[in-house]
Amino acid sequence: MQALNRSEWHPSRRTVLANASALPLLALPLSQAQAQFRVEVSGVGMTQIPFSAATFRGNEAVNQDIAAIVRADLERSGQFRFVDPLAGAFDENTAIDFSPWRSKTSDALVTGSVTRLSDGRYDVRFRLWDIVKGQELGGASYPVPVAGLRNAAHKIADYVYEKLTGEKGVFSTRIAYVTKNGRQHTLVVADADGENAQTALTSNESIISPSWDPKGRQLAYVSFESRKPVIYSHDVFAGSRRLLVNFRGSNSAPAWSPDGSQLLATLSISGNAQIYAMSASGGSPKRLTQSGSIDTEPVFSADGGSIYFVSDRGGSPQIYKMSAKGGSAQRLTFSGSYNISPAPSPDGRWLAYISRVNGAFRLHVMDLSSGAVSAVSDSSADESPSFSPNSRLIIYATRDRGQEALMTSTVDGRIKTRLASARGDIREPEWGPFTR
């Protein structure tokens, strides 16, 4: 940047407490995936910032609508409301007459341009204006290849979001998920809005439990190509993979430590599924739970000092918390007989999970300071929640109109966005970290 100034699937997380066993696997560099998405926003927010984004000068020469992408990103956050721009041509050098924009009740305005450079790249420039105060809030320039135009737009949305809310935006981050078409299972990496989907891996056997490393480069996942669950790590940039965990019995539910030095996994070396920690570079695993029950789905807390996991030691699957060094565990969920898939927010405030209520699997959020729990969705087949790196949004899989789909929701459930696949079933979403 330059300153200007589900059930039919073989295994799933929902069936992780049941023993699962599952061939040719092909590691591929990123390539364009079949799945494309459309965005549908529903719900009513509280206080939203009204903003406009004028069509970028020169945008007609490229195949990505920069202003439209910025608009969709900001609206998806639940904190912005789009106001149609005034008629006319505007770019980052336009001297803005603020009065007519105030009359349209827009508080902020984004203007910019797209210019082809002599080396074939495109220079995407923008400027952000505070309409209420009548002043400039800054701008930037992103020289990018044509394939980088979407990411440039996401970075503009991040800039606007941070300037106007004081928090980092997540629009240039990425998500991972798994699709199934017929017998083919695909590990996909996409932009946070579900667009620009790239195939990272395909297999005729199940792929489950993708987990991003803290740098957003490696995806640990469970493969059944060896006729049993085995954990690999896939470099999404190089398209290469390495075997991480393959002990006797089942190897499942990988989760990275916040610093990337350790990996948690559910292993059945001792006979029943227990939680182990090991170096991310390999070595002997250290057993952390010592129960006679099934302990699984471990994940580190944001500070790395604790572990959340699922156990049926009390007679039904519930979520527990213990020290990252092991020891006694504290039960966290008491409402309902089935609570799984714990996902702590990066800021340490929230815990998202799936609770079965009257037979429906619904996304819930717990305030970790008070223990208060609220239902975020009213659907019936939710699974695999994962927080955005700024802790503002949750992505999860659900069933919509007869198909598996991905949803994002604000923590309070007021704004939901459906990332609907053109075809195929979608599961196991995992939101990646901020790009470093």
Side-chain angles (χ1 to χ4, degrees):
M1 179 183 79
Q2 300 174 355
L4 294 178
N5 245 339
R6 199 119 354 201
S7 59
E8 66 271 23
W9 284 38
H10 180 38
S12 73
R13 290 198 177 187
R14 190 178 303 153
T15 58
V16 75
L17 288 175
N19 289 329
S21 62
L23 277 164
L25 190 70
L26 181 61
L28 300 173
L30 296 181
S31 59
Q32 192 67 38
Q34 295 292 327
Q36 292 294 315
F37 292 81
R38 68 181 185 278
V39 175
E40 302 167 8
V41 179
S42 62
V44 178
M46 295 181 292
T47 302
Q48 296 177 310
I49 301 173
F51 79 102
S52 292
T55 299
F56 279 38
R57 177 180 54 78
N59 203 143
E60 67 280 0
V62 297
N63 61 356
Q64 300 288 349
D65 188 334
I66 304 298
I69 296 170
V70 172
R71 168 187 174 176
D73 283 349
L74 294 173
E75 287 191 305
R76 190 178 306 106
S77 74
Q79 299 193 56
F80 291 83
R81 175 175 56 82
F82 184 70
V83 177
D84 288 332
L86 292 169
F90 306 91
D91 64 22
E92 73 279 8
N93 296 317
T94 302
I96 301 298
D97 178 359
F98 295 102
S99 294
W101 290 97
R102 293 190 185 110
S103 297
K104 289 186 70 70
T105 68
S106 179
D107 285 358
L109 169 66
V110 179
T111 59
S113 64
V114 181
T115 305
R116 184 180 174 86
L117 301 173
S118 59
D119 61 3
R121 296 182 301 162
Y122 289 88
D123 186 16
V124 182
R125 296 177 170 236
F126 78 97
R127 202 173 298 278
L128 174 62
W129 306 92
D130 184 329
I131 300 299
V132 177
K133 295 181 178 179
Q135 64 185 34
E136 176 194 335
L137 292 177
S141 168
Y142 300 102
V144 296
V146 65
L149 288 168
R150 286 195 65 85
N151 193 48
H154 292 319
K155 288 183 178 296
I156 293 171
D158 284 343
Y159 186 101
V160 174
Y161 184 92
E162 186 165 0
K163 279 288 183 181
L164 299 182
T165 70
E167 299 180 347
K168 291 188 69 173
V170 297
F171 313 113
S172 61
T173 61
R174 295 180 298 172
I175 59 173
Y177 55 89
V178 180
T179 67
K180 178 175 180 287
N181 289 290
R183 289 193 58 195
Q184 181 170 284
H185 302 257
T186 305
L187 178 61
V188 178
V189 175
D191 292 354
D193 61 357
E195 298 289 343
N196 194 29
Q198 307 283 307
T199 296
L201 187 74
T202 59
S203 173
N204 288 332
E205 299 298 332
S206 293
I207 302 170
I208 63 171
S209 303
S211 175
W212 287 100
D213 80 334
K215 294 182 179 180
R217 185 176 185 88
Q218 302 282 332
L219 269 171
Y221 63 91
V222 177
S223 166
F224 288 76
E225 64 180 298
S226 301
R227 299 292 185 185
K228 72 168 192 172
V230 173
I231 300 173
Y232 286 90
S233 180
H234 189 94
D235 188 316
V236 298
F237 292 100
S240 59
R241 67 169 182 164
R242 61 190 174 100
L243 180 63
L244 276 182
V245 184
N246 185 17
F247 295 105
R248 175 171 52 87
S250 173
N251 308 267
S252 62
W256 302 86
S257 61
D259 64 2
S261 66
Q262 286 188 292
L263 195 75
L264 296 173
T266 301
L267 308 178
S268 62
I269 302 173
S270 61
N272 62 325
Q274 295 288 283
I275 295 170
Y276 291 76
M278 62 208 77
S279 169
S281 59
S284 300
K286 176 186 176 183
R287 183 170 173 175
L288 298 180
T289 55
Q290 306 291 335
S291 77
S293 305
I294 295 175
D295 297 337
T296 188
E297 293 196 297
V299 61
F300 280 99
S301 61
D303 63 6
S306 302
I307 293 172
Y308 299 97
F309 65 101
V310 175
S311 176
D312 64 351
R313 62 186 64 189
S316 64
Q318 299 292 340
I319 297 173
Y320 292 78
K321 179 183 179 182
M322 68 177 180
S323 167
K325 297 179 181 178
S328 61
Q330 169 193 2
R331 180 172 167 177
L332 296 184
T333 52
F334 294 92
S335 178
S337 61
Y338 196 94
N339 295 291
I340 63 169
S341 300
S345 62
D347 65 2
R349 292 184 61 191
W350 314 101
L351 183 73
Y353 61 96
I354 302 300
S355 182
R356 185 173 63 193
V357 179
N358 297 325
F361 296 89
R362 291 178 178 164
L363 174 63
H364 285 64
V365 172
M366 176 186 291
D367 182 331
L368 288 169
S369 63
S370 67
V373 173
S374 58
V376 173
S377 77
D378 57 4
S379 41
S380 60
D382 305 339
E383 63 177 43
S384 304
S386 175
F387 271 94
S388 64
N390 67 357
S391 302
R392 287 288 187 174
L393 297 171
I394 305 168
I395 192 170
Y396 60 103
T398 191
R399 179 172 288 277
D400 184 69
R401 285 170 258 182
Q403 277 197 325
E404 304 292 338
L406 297 184
M407 298 287 294
T408 64
S409 174
T410 51
V411 175
D412 61 9
R414 288 175 177 265
I415 300 291
K416 293 184 175 62
T417 301
R418 180 177 184 267
L419 308 177
S421 168
R423 64 178 185 176
D425 291 335
I426 307 173
R427 289 275 180 91
E428 308 271 355
E430 179 79 0
W431 208 314
F434 285 120
T435 304
R436 296 180 179 177

